[in-house]
Amino acid sequence: MAEALISDEAFIKGCAAVGAGLAVGLAGIGAGAGESGIGAAAVGAIAEDRGFLGLGLLFTVIPETIVIFGLVISFILMFAY
């Protein structure tokens, strides 16, 4: 019989590391795509009326919470196995 080149535990840890990287990377790409339109609209609204500064900042920060969720998922994947 052929010997295994890698142990099952090492394979599971490697897959968890790849999954953690994908969780953060894809969440960052999604947040960047969502934030691009929001940021442009916020800058336009603030240029017309300075009263929209707080609301524009709030709407710009909301997509970034998705990246935080991806980071939490990556920590769970990395430290659960």
Side-chain angles (χ1 to χ4, degrees), residues 74-81:
S74 71
F75 283 145
I76 290 171
L77 284 173
M78 290 302 295
F79 296 119
Y81 295 105

Side-chain angles (χ1 to χ4, degrees), residues 14-73:
C15 287
V18 170
L22 284 173
V24 173
L26 293 177
I29 290 172
E35 196 171 337
S36 65
I38 294 170
V43 168
I46 293 168
E48 290 183 13
D49 184 9
R50 303 255 321 153
F52 286 116
L53 179 65
L55 192 61
L57 284 175
L58 177 69
F59 285 147
T60 304
V61 171
I62 288 174
E64 291 298 322
T65 59
I66 296 170
V67 178
I68 295 170
F69 293 146
L71 189 63
V72 168
I73 294 297

